[in-house]
Each structure stands twice: as C-alpha cells, then as structure tokens.
Amino acid sequence: MIVGRNDPCPCRSGKKFKKCHIGIIVPHVSENFIVSAKKDGIAYKIFRIRFHYNKKGQASTIVSLPYFEKSQGLLSRATFPANTRKVDKLSLKIGGKTTSHIVKFSHWIDGNTHFSQDGKILTSIRNLSNPLTISIGHIFTVQTQGLAGFKLKEDAKKKNTKEIDLDVTLEDEIKSIKFTGWWYDSNVVHDSGNHYGNPYIFKKADGAKEIAFALQAPKDSPMSDKILFLSISPMPLLTKEKGSHLLFIGGFDTKEIFNDITKDFHFLAALYPARNYKKLLKEIGTIDLNEDLLI
C-alpha cells in the first residue's frame, strides 16, 4: 500500500504527505478494540482485538470472535504443500477438528499461536509462528459475508485507554469484507496523549484505496514499540451459500519456512458455520471438552 509524497496526508490535515506525517504514525492507543461494520444505517460487531500482557512480561495479541451467531465451526492447522504457494482449493478437514463454540486466537510474543476458549475446548490447534518482537507483516485476516449473522452494535463507548470502537461504513454493493492485520515496528510515532488518530486512507499500486487503522498497545506493554495496521477492503464472496459466514486465518509459519518453497507451509484457520457439521463431527472429531455429549 502506497501513499505518494505529494498526496494529501492520510491524517486529513490538508497538507501534502511529505510536509506532514511522512515517516510518522498517529495510532489509536488502547488495550482493546471492537471492530464494527455499518451498512444501511445498522452497525454490527464483527470481532475484538486485544493487546494482552501481564507483570511477568508475557504478552499476546488476541483476536476474539464472540459476535457471530453460528457457533458450529471447523478449526484447522492447514497446510500448503511444498513447491507451491497457490492452490485452487485447500481443504481445512486435513489437520482440522470441529467445535461447537466460538473461539479466540492468541499470538504470543514468543511466536506460539493457538485457538482457545477457557473451559470449552482443548487448546490443541496450534502452530509456531514469528515472535511479536520483530516486524512480521501479515499476521491475520478476518473475512465476513452477510452482516445479519453478527450482533447488533447498540452501545457506543467513549474512547479511552481501555477500549476503543473502530467503525467502518460499507457501501451498499459490498457483500464481503476483509480485515487484515499487519505487524510492524514503530520507531517514530506521535505521543498520542488524549488524541485518537483518524483512519488512514492508503492508495495501492493499482490505484485502489483501502481504509486502515493504526493500533498500538499502551506504553507499559512489552509490545508498545510495534504498530498493528488493520486494513479493510471489499472481497469476492466467500461462498455461494446464503446466510452469514466468517473466516479467520493467522498463525502462519515463520519467515524461514515461508521463504523455503521446498517445505510445507502451515497456518491456523477457523471457519463458521462448518458445512455438514454433523458429518464432519463423525469424520474428524471435535476438540470440545464436552465431546461425549455431541456424538
């Protein structure tokens, strides 16, 4: 994504980028972010991002998906086969398990990633990814189709260092939307204080434009020297099936594996709702802790 030197600055100051925020990022600073999409005057909550950390220095980014109404899903440690980085169709059944719960995804500072839900599923769908101490680039994608299957946003919270609402308004013709998280170093940032940055408008090389939010953990977090860019763009339909659908991917193998095309490449994926759920349950099993009640 490119902002030209002579383009208007994404901060909307009216100045040219080269005379304003070139090389400088004005982030939203908070522990939690609720991402919502608005269409036809109605807002729906899509997912939550959390910068989690404790006094022991253990830290992670968490993407929670609590707002989707259909909880029967498919979780997978998916595999791109060696000697290719593009396939027409990739089955999530291989390396996958079913669940009847909406899960959360954690990417820990040491690179460990997994799906979990306390007291509800086994934390067994996991992968070793890049540590959050380095600039990674792409770390996750959330793609949705059909907003009616998500919870309505009925409350508007005041912006603060604990939680911030991030709202995106969709044009009428958009049927599917992709949210992509990018993890980068942030050596030069504005001291936000009580100021909360606006969305950035990025122009891609082909001329297309994307909205992006710059998100940053509070200063006392081990991850405060990084920026999570959340870009938003319309996408083709996830499926021809009617109704609402949700896809998450993240937890990608390390850069060393990705750059070696002779090796299989792995990532974590969550798909809701899972097609033919009962059949899948019998074929590949479940990671639900109450699995005896499901079969």
Side-chain angles (χ1 to χ4, degrees):
M1 295 182 290
I2 301 171
V3 180
R5 289 176 56 82
N6 292 310
D7 289 340
C9 186
C11 77
R12 300 172 184 172
S13 65
K15 299 179 182 179
K16 290 184 178 181
F17 185 47
K18 66 182 181 182
K19 293 186 177 181
C20 195
H21 282 100
I22 189 166
I24 301 175
I25 299 168
V26 184
H28 295 270
V29 180
S30 186
E31 293 179 13
N32 297 280
F33 303 88
I34 297 178
V35 182
S36 301
K38 187 175 183 180
K39 191 173 183 180
D40 299 326
I42 303 174
Y44 302 86
K45 294 180 179 180
I46 307 300
F47 63 100
R48 175 192 290 266
I49 299 171
R50 181 185 180 193
F51 292 125
H52 168 74
Y53 58 99
N54 56 33
K55 294 180 180 179
K56 295 180 180 180
Q58 298 168 323
S60 66
T61 59
I62 299 175
V63 178
S64 300
L65 310 167
Y67 309 119
F68 194 63
E69 65 177 8
K70 300 176 182 178
S71 62
Q72 293 183 338
L74 172 61
L75 309 180
S76 179
R77 181 177 183 262
T79 303
F80 269 103
N83 300 312
T84 182
R85 285 293 183 259
K86 184 177 181 181
V87 293
D88 293 332
K89 188 175 290 187
L90 190 67
S91 174
L92 300 183
K93 285 176 60 176
I94 302 173
K97 294 288 184 181
T98 64
T99 181
S100 62
H101 302 291
I102 296 293
V103 299
K104 58 185 177 181
F105 167 82
S106 298
H107 189 143
W108 289 87
I109 199 166
D110 63 1
N112 280 291
T113 66
H114 60 71
F115 291 119
S116 64
Q117 196 56 267
D118 296 343
K120 294 183 178 181
I121 70 168
L122 294 170
T123 309
S124 58
I125 306 294
R126 55 173 63 241
N127 196 39
L128 181 61
S129 187
N130 296 287
L132 294 177
T133 54
I134 66 173
S135 177
I136 300 172
H138 182 204
I139 60 171
F140 71 81
T141 291
V142 177
Q143 190 170 346
T144 67
Q145 178 176 315
L147 293 179
F150 292 85
K151 290 184 179 179
L152 291 175
K153 179 184 176 182
E154 299 175 329
D155 56 334
K157 294 182 175 62
K158 186 178 180 179
K159 294 179 178 179
N160 55 68
T161 58
K162 292 295 182 181
E163 189 170 280
I164 292 177
D165 287 338
L166 303 176
D167 299 324
V168 180
T169 299
L170 305 183
E171 297 177 3
D172 293 342
E173 66 271 16
I174 295 177
K175 305 297 182 183
S176 180
I177 186 168
K178 181 176 72 172
F179 303 85
T180 307
W182 306 87
W183 189 255
Y184 291 114
D185 291 325
S186 176
N187 298 321
V188 183
V189 297
H190 274 310
D191 184 2
S192 296
N194 294 322
H195 173 75
Y196 296 89
N198 291 315
Y200 281 72
I201 307 299
F202 287 102
K203 185 171 68 176
K204 300 169 75 174
D206 61 3
K209 295 182 179 180
E210 289 185 356
I211 297 173
F213 294 94
L215 313 181
Q216 187 177 29
K219 290 183 178 180
D220 57 348
S221 167
M223 302 179 292
S224 62
D225 62 340
K226 298 292 185 293
I227 292 290
L228 175 62
F229 277 104
L230 183 68
S231 65
I232 300 98
S233 58
M235 287 293 292
L237 294 179
L238 271 171
T239 174
K240 294 181 180 180
E241 294 182 15
K242 296 181 179 180
S244 297
H245 301 268
L246 173 65
L247 172 67
F248 173 90
I249 60 172
F252 309 105
D253 274 342
T254 61
K255 291 183 177 181
E256 290 77 13
I257 296 176
F258 177 79
N259 291 329
D260 187 350
I261 200 170
T262 65
K263 295 181 179 179
D264 289 344
F265 178 72
H266 306 91
F267 63 94
L268 302 185
L271 178 65
Y272 293 93
R275 188 177 183 184
N276 300 320
Y277 177 78
K278 291 184 178 180
K279 182 180 178 182
L280 272 179
L281 180 61
K282 293 180 179 179
E283 290 178 352
I284 63 176
T286 182
I287 57 172
D288 288 358
L289 293 174
N290 59 342
E291 59 180 323
D292 292 339
L293 302 177
L294 300 175
I295 299 176

